[in-house]
Amino acid sequence: MNINLRAMLQNTYQLPLTFEQILTLVKQLSDSEKLLLSKELEKETLNKKLTQLLEVFQTNELSLEEITEEVEIVRSQIYARKQNNQDNH
């Protein structure tokens, strides 16, 4: 990471900006800065989606045995479907 980029990441700014103002600023970034911003936004979005997904599926009601049993049922169904497709061809 170059020195300018490191300095840019260390500074924290808080300004009340509209989306249009932010977009105008982003358009002024260099291509490499836009790429970096894009990667950061993608990472943040993925992290948020993963957190939401984990919260949806978080439960204390499932045991490891129940999860394993369900996985084996699904595996059996997939295997049976593959076998059926091979028999039909």
Side-chain angles (χ1 to χ4, degrees), residues 53-64:
L53 186 61
L54 290 173
E55 287 174 358
V56 167
F57 287 104
Q58 184 177 11
T59 179
N60 295 327
E61 297 175 13
L62 292 175
S63 68
L64 181 58

Side-chain angles (χ1 to χ4, degrees), residues 30-61:
S30 69
D31 287 344
S32 61
E33 290 171 323
K34 287 177 185 175
L35 183 59
L36 178 63
L37 178 61
S38 174
K39 287 180 180 180
E40 288 298 315
L41 290 171
E42 182 179 350
K43 188 172 27 173
E44 181 179 322
T45 301
L46 288 174
N47 286 340
K48 186 180 288 186
K49 286 181 181 179
L50 179 58
T51 299
Q52 290 171 345
L53 186 61
L54 290 173
E55 287 174 358
V56 167
F57 287 104
Q58 184 177 11
T59 179
N60 295 327
E61 297 175 13

Side-chain angles (χ1 to χ4, degrees), residues 2 4-5 8 24-38:
N2 65 38
N4 292 337
L5 183 56
M8 183 177 77
T24 299
L25 290 172
V26 168
K27 288 180 180 182
Q28 296 175 36
L29 296 174
S30 69
D31 287 344
S32 61
E33 290 171 323
K34 287 177 185 175
L35 183 59
L36 178 63
L37 178 61
S38 174

Side-chain angles (χ1 to χ4, degrees), residues 5-17:
L5 183 56
R6 213 175 301 132
M8 183 177 77
L9 293 176
Q10 291 175 353
N11 294 332
T12 302
Y13 304 99
Q14 292 186 1
L15 297 171
L17 299 173

